[in-house]
């Protein structure tokens, strides 16, 4: 391909050194601070949402690219119009928005697309990371819009560019690909809607629609909750029939009214993050971000950068400035889950942030003020950790200004079935199954089990049952093996049972839990094995001869040979 003639910024840019109008290729231009553009992006996202903000910035970039192509066509006496069509990337670089590099393709890569380029030092990715942190999708919206506008004007038909890689979502470089509209695969068409005029003109309409949809989903969730559990509607979707859980929710809502630090304790799976979200949603910070980080899932070397951010060059791989989660949660709520796993060195820095309300990025000497509501959660016994010297006492007291202790599910028996029915309704909708409820036997078995994994384990058990259920309701056999094998409670239920019936049920349940091993069952029940065989015969179990020498004595226990019962 013939190389492009050089474009010199000194020939395109004219201005009075003493100030005044600035012209680029004969058209008036303005100098904008990229940080101001980053702040504008942040405000657009927080006010209108990501979809509407992306549409606005994409269309803005498209208009900029279109106008630049239109201006450049007559600003330079091109000897070949093909050079003008291919100069968009060079102009992009001259305007200081991005540094363009060609893509080196190999034969095995297949035919080259209509347009392709690598972008380095994208101002848009830089500003998104600075103000909003790492994204899940590409973020160079106005830059891809510019490229699309320029190419569309030059070629007389719509040419749309999409980012295939982006620094803003953690890739090492930004990369774009441009094709005519008809050449994009159907699965890529979703990204093209941001170029449509209504993405800009209908931004407020989209926000209104999104709010209405959120309200509709909230009403539907409340109706589902009321229908399947029969409990009082709760905006957070929480189920609480037991007094202990009702008290936790009441304290959570009272704590939400103030900005004090909250420590949520309880076993794994009890719903500590749900309580933290309730506090955020009931607080005056509900319109800002709620960010949760699992301190146990991040290595010690990365946790400092994750929480406080870093500057470019602070360590190997730090190619750009990056704000931490404290800055990302500014104005909102930050949940430090599993805070008991924070290393001692980090505990000191965390205490300073709580006291000073400011953070200092790794590799930087400047402190930045942050306004964050901190909620911490742990399944550890922090007083014991303090006594053992593994957790700072001053940090512990700073975190537990308000402490909420979430009880385990085994202490919330009245919540088990309402929770199970709510989880069942959610699982049937998610899996597309028509399962209407629980059989009496399945419901009773759920009440028998101790639920060491708490609500998380209950949710997994219900989802498994819904997935495997063959009828219109969950049966006992659809439940996990450990739940099916749970022995009955010795406390009478709504329908009192005879002692003989309770004994029979309990003996058979222990036998089932031991996989039919009668010797182990007799030992656990503290009865002779011959006694166990006699009882099983009474219960109608298949006869099986006792081992030699059983004779009514305990088998191999070394205890007294006298009968136990």
């Amino acid at each position: 391909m013939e190389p492009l003639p050089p474009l010199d910024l000194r020939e395109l840019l004219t201005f009075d050194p003493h100030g005044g109008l600035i012209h680029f290729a004969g058209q008036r231009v303005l100098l904008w601070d990229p940080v101001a553009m980053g702040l504008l992006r942040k405000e657009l996202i927080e006010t209108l949402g990501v979809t509407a903000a992306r549409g606005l910035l994409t269309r803005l970039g498209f208009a900029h690219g279109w106008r630049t192509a239109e201006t450049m066509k007559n600003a330079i006496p091109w000897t070949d119009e093909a050079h003008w069509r291919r100069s968009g990337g060079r102009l992009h670089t001259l305007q200081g928005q991005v540094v363009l590099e060609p893509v080196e393709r190999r034969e095995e890569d297949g035919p080259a697309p209509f347009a392709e380029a690598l972008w380095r030092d994208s101002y848009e990715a830089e500003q998104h990371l600075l103000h909003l942190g790492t994204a899940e999708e590409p973020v160079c919206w106005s830059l891809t819009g510019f490229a699309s506008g320029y190419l569309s004007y030059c070629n007389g038909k719509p040419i749309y560019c999409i980012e295939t890689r982006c620094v803003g979502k953690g890739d090492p470089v930004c990369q774009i690909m441009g094709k005519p509209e008809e050449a994009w695969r159907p699965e890529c068409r979703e990204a093209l809607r941001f170029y449509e005029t209504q993405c800009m003109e209908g931004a407020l309409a989209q926000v209104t629609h999104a709010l209405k949809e959120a309200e509709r989903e909230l009403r539907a969730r409340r109706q589902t909750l009321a229908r399947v559990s029969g409990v009082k509607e709760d905006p957070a979707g929480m189920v609480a029939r037991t007094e202990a859980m009702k008290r936790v929710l009441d304290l959570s809502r009272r704590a939400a009214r103030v900005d004090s630090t909250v420590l949520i304790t309880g076993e794994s799976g009890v719903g500590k993050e749900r309580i933290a979200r309730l506090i955020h949603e009931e607080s005056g910070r509900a319109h800002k971000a709620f960010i949760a980080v699992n301190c146990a899932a991040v290595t010690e070397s990365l946790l400092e950068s994750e929480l406080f951010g870093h500057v470019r060059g602070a360590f190997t791989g730090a190619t750009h400035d990056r704000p931490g989660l404290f800055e990302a949660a500014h104005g909102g709520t930050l949940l430090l889950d599993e805070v008991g796993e924070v290393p001692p060195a980090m505990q000191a820095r965390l205490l300073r942030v709580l006291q000073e309300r400011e953070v200092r990025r790794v590799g930087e000497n400047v402190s930045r003020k942050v306004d964050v509501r901190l909620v911490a959660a742990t399944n550890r016994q922090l007083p014991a950790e303090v006594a053992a010297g593994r957790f700072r006492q001053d940090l512990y007291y700073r975190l537990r200004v308000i402490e909420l202790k979430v009880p385990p599910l085994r202490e919330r028996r009245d919540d088990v079935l309402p929770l199970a029915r709510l989880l069942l309704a959610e699982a049937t909708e998610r899996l597309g199954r028509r399962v209407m409820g629980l059989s009496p036997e399945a419901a009773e078995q759920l009440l028998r089990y101790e639920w060491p994994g708490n609500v998380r384990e209950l949710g997994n058990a219900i989802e498994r049952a819904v997935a495997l259920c063959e009828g219109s309701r969950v049966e006992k056999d659809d439940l996990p093996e450990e739940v099916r094998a749970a022995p009955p409670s010795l406390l009478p239920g709504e329908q009192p049972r005879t002692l003989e019936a309770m004994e029979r049920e309990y003996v058979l349940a222990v036998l089932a839990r031991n996989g039919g091993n009668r010797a182990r069952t007799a030992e656990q029940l503290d009865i002779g094995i011959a006694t166990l065989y006699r009882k099983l015969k009474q219960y109608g179990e298949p006869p099986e001869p006792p081992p030699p020498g059983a004779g009514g004595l305990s088998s191999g226990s070394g205890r007294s040979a006298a009968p136990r019962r």
Side-chain angles (χ1 to χ4, degrees), residues 300-503:
E300 180 176 356
S301 59
L302 293 178
L303 185 59
E304 183 177 21
S305 173
E306 189 75 12
L307 292 178
F308 308 124
H310 63 258
V311 297
R312 182 176 181 177
F315 50 83
T316 303
T319 58
H320 54 266
D321 291 357
R322 182 181 183 277
L325 294 180
F326 271 96
E327 291 182 69
H330 183 78
T333 304
L334 177 62
L335 168 63
L336 296 181
D337 200 6
E338 304 300 345
V339 72
E341 310 296 331
V342 174
M346 278 296 298
Q347 293 177 24
R349 288 206 61 184
L350 190 57
L351 178 64
R352 183 180 180 278
V353 172
L354 293 176
Q355 291 174 339
E356 305 296 331
R357 296 291 177 179
E358 59 184 27
V359 296
R360 184 177 298 173
R361 295 180 183 178
V362 178
E364 187 177 54
N365 294 324
V366 178
S367 296
R368 302 166 184 265
K369 289 290 183 181
V370 289
D371 173 24
V372 175
R373 167 72 176 276
L374 188 69
V375 179
T378 183
N379 58 12
R380 288 182 176 268
Q381 297 294 328
L382 289 189
E385 297 295 304
V386 170
R390 292 187 291 268
F391 201 85
R392 293 179 62 108
Q393 186 179 48
D394 48 3
L395 178 59
Y396 169 61
Y397 288 125
R398 190 67 185 81
L399 291 175
R400 69 179 291 267
V401 176
I402 301 174
E403 183 175 4
L404 301 175
K405 297 181 180 180
V406 185
L409 192 55
R410 62 181 172 274
E411 297 177 8
R412 300 166 49 194
R413 290 293 179 182
D414 290 344
D415 290 341
V416 171
L417 289 184
L419 269 171
R421 293 185 179 111
L422 175 63
L423 293 167
L424 185 143
E426 293 176 346
T428 54
E429 181 179 358
R430 185 170 60 252
L431 300 178
R433 302 297 307 276
R434 294 183 61 84
V435 182
M436 307 307 295
L438 303 166
S439 70
E441 295 78 10
E444 184 176 0
Q445 206 62 28
L446 293 177
L447 290 173
R448 292 176 177 178
Y449 189 57
E450 289 295 313
W451 300 110
N454 296 294
V455 180
R456 183 183 295 120
E457 184 184 11
L458 175 61
N460 292 338
I462 293 297
E463 181 171 345
R464 175 193 188 275
V466 170
L468 301 180
C469 179
E470 294 183 341
S472 61
R473 64 180 185 176
V474 171
E475 301 292 343
K476 178 181 176 181
D477 290 342
D478 297 323
L479 299 173
E481 181 180 356
E482 62 273 14
V483 180
R484 297 196 305 270
S489 170
L490 296 180
L491 297 177
E494 295 180 359
Q495 297 294 331
R497 293 171 291 171
T498 64
L499 289 175
E500 182 180 358
M502 291 180 63
E503 179 189 82

Side-chain angles (χ1 to χ4, degrees), residues 68-128:
T68 300
E70 188 179 34
T71 299
M72 292 301 298
K73 184 176 182 180
N74 301 316
I76 295 177
W78 303 94
T79 57
D80 186 348
E81 279 201 356
H83 293 161
W84 160 62
R85 294 190 182 96
R86 292 165 48 203
S87 293
R90 175 60 181 158
L91 292 168
H92 223 172
T93 301
L94 290 177
Q95 292 174 354
Q97 300 187 67
V98 70
V99 177
L100 180 140
E101 293 181 4
V103 176
E104 297 182 3
R105 299 186 65 86
R106 300 164 297 183
E107 291 184 3
E108 56 267 27
D109 295 334
F114 187 89
E116 190 177 28
L118 295 178
W119 284 347
R120 299 194 183 276
D121 297 324
S122 161
Y123 93 90
E124 201 164 11
E126 170 190 295
Q127 291 303 313
H128 193 100

